[in-house]
Amino acid sequence: MITGGFVKCGQSHDGVEDRREQQIAAARAKVDRLLLRLRSLQEASAAAADQAAEADTAAAAALTARDAYDEGHLQPARKAAQQAEKEAHGLSRDVAQLKERLESADYISAQEQVIQAAKEQMETAQAARDAAVTAHDVRRKEVTGRWSEFFLARLKQINPDVETAHIDPADFTTRVKERHTADKTFAESSVAGSPKVATNVALLLALRDLGRVDRGVRVPPLMVIDSPLAGLGAKGLDHDTGLRLIDTLIDIADDPSPDGYACQVIAATNDPLPRPYPGVREIRIDTDNRFFDHAPRRDN
C-alpha cells in the first residue's frame, strides 16, 4: 500500500511538472508572439507617426500652396470675375439702351419715310397747284382781255367819246380814257351821266357778252339796275347818254339769245320813258305807293 502510494505520488508530480512546463512554454511562446506583435505594432505606429508627420508636412505645404494659389490666382480671378460681372451688367444696360435706340431709330426711319412720302405728295400737290394757278392766271388774263374788248365796245355804245377801256385781271378795277372835248360827256351831278354808273352798266353788259362766247363764264340771265336813267328828264348830253343807255339795255333784253344767255333787265328810273319801246313793260309807281307789290297790274 505504501509502495503503491509512492508510485502514484511520483507519477502525479511528473505530470504536473510537465503540464507546468507545457504551460510555461505555451506562455512563453504566447509572450514571444505578443512581443513580436507588439514590435510589429510599434514599427507600424512609428511608420504611421512618420506618415502622419509627412502628411502634416504635406498638408502644411498644401495649405501654403493653396494660400499662395488663392492669393496669386483665385483672388485676381475673383476680382476679374467681379469686374466682368460689373461690365456685363453695364453692357446689358447699354444693350437695352441700344435696343431702345434701335427701336426708336426704326420708328424714326418709318416716320421719315412717311414724312418723305407726304413731302413728295405735298410737292406733287404744290406743283399741281402751281400749274393750276399758272393756268388760272393765264385763263384769267385771257378772259379779262376778251372782257375788256366787250367792255370798250359797250362803253362806246353808251359814250362814243371813249377811246380805251381796260379791266385789270388782278382786282378787276377799270381804267377808261375819253377823248378830250370842250364839254364833259358825263355831268358829275347827273346819275345817268355819272362815269361810275355808265362804267358799271357797261361792265355788266360786257360780262354778259363774254358769257355768250365763252361757256366757262356763267352769267345770271337777270340784271337789276337802280336808277341808271335819271338823266332822261334832263337835256343835253345827260339826256342823250340816258337814251343811248336805255337803247343798249333794251337791245340786250330784246336779244333772243338762242345760246341760252338771254337776259331780263329791270331798271328803276324817276322819269318816264320818252316813248314806248317794243318788248318793254313799264310799271308806273305813284308817290303814295312806291313798292312793286302795290303797283297796278297790267296785261302787257
Side-chain angles (χ1 to χ4, degrees):
M1 293 298 295
I2 297 173
T3 303
F6 283 112
V7 173
K8 287 182 181 180
C9 292
Q11 289 177 349
S12 175
H13 180 75
D14 291 337
V16 172
E17 288 293 331
D18 290 337
R19 284 196 300 273
R20 288 180 179 174
E21 289 294 333
Q22 290 176 355
Q23 292 175 350
I24 291 171
R28 286 176 179 174
K30 186 175 181 180
V31 170
D32 291 338
R33 288 194 304 271
L34 291 174
L35 289 174
L36 289 173
R37 186 174 180 183
L38 177 61
R39 190 178 299 111
S40 177
L41 290 172
Q42 289 175 345
E43 291 176 354
S45 176
D50 293 339
Q51 291 177 355
E54 293 176 358
D56 289 338
T57 302
L63 290 174
T64 302
R66 182 201 65 184
D67 295 338
Y69 184 81
D70 182 76
E71 183 178 357
H73 295 83
L74 293 181
Q75 290 182 3
R78 290 193 188 97
K79 292 180 180 179
Q82 292 175 355
Q83 184 64 28
E85 289 178 355
K86 292 181 180 179
E87 293 178 356
H89 180 71
L91 290 175
S92 299
R93 185 177 59 252
D94 294 341
V95 167
Q97 293 177 353
L98 287 174
K99 185 177 180 181
E100 292 179 357
R101 292 177 182 175
L102 286 175
E103 292 176 353
S104 300
D106 292 339
Y107 177 76
I108 293 173
S109 177
Q111 293 304 309
E112 287 177 349
Q113 294 178 1
V114 173
I115 293 172
Q116 182 64 27
K119 184 178 179 181
E120 292 176 356
Q121 293 177 357
M122 179 187 69
E123 292 175 351
T124 302
Q126 287 179 343
R129 182 203 62 186
D130 294 341
V133 169
T134 301
H136 176 74
D137 291 341
V138 173
R139 167 71 174 164
R140 189 186 184 104
K141 291 179 180 179
E142 292 177 352
V143 169
T144 51
R146 296 292 306 277
W147 192 8
S148 296
E149 295 175 2
F150 289 115
F151 179 47
L152 177 60
R154 288 298 184 182
L155 275 177
K156 283 182 174 292
Q157 188 177 11
I158 299 172
N159 178 12
D161 290 332
V162 173
E163 288 184 342
T164 60
H166 176 72
I167 302 173
D168 190 281
D171 56 8
F172 302 115
T173 56
T174 58
R175 293 195 299 272
V176 179
K177 181 180 179 182
E178 302 176 25
R179 284 192 297 269
H180 296 287
T181 59
D183 297 327
K184 290 185 177 181
T185 303
F186 298 117
E188 296 295 341
S189 62
S190 172
V191 176
S194 171
K196 186 66 174 178
V197 173
T199 298
N200 289 341
V201 173
L203 190 69
L204 293 175
L205 296 178
L207 182 62
R208 177 184 175 275
D209 295 334
L210 178 64
R212 297 186 64 184
V213 298
D214 191 335
R215 293 285 183 176
V217 178
R218 310 304 300 174
V219 181
L222 174 65
M223 182 180 293
V224 179
I225 305 174
D226 184 15
S227 297
L229 308 175
L232 290 177
K235 294 181 180 180
L237 294 177
D238 287 346
H239 178 73
D240 295 338
T241 301
L243 288 178
R244 286 193 297 267
L245 183 55
I246 192 171
D247 288 339
T248 301
L249 294 176
I250 292 173
D251 177 64
I252 66 167
D254 190 44
D255 189 348
S257 300
D259 55 3
Y261 284 94
C263 184
Q264 180 180 3
V265 179
I266 298 176
T269 177
N270 293 327
D271 300 315
L273 297 177
R275 62 179 177 82
Y277 290 89
V280 176
R281 179 183 178 186
E282 186 177 6
I283 302 175
R284 296 182 181 275
I285 302 175
D286 59 26
T287 57
D288 295 330
N289 297 310
R290 299 180 62 85
F291 299 96
F292 281 97
D293 292 342
H294 302 286
R297 296 183 179 276
R298 298 180 58 183
D299 297 333
N300 296 322

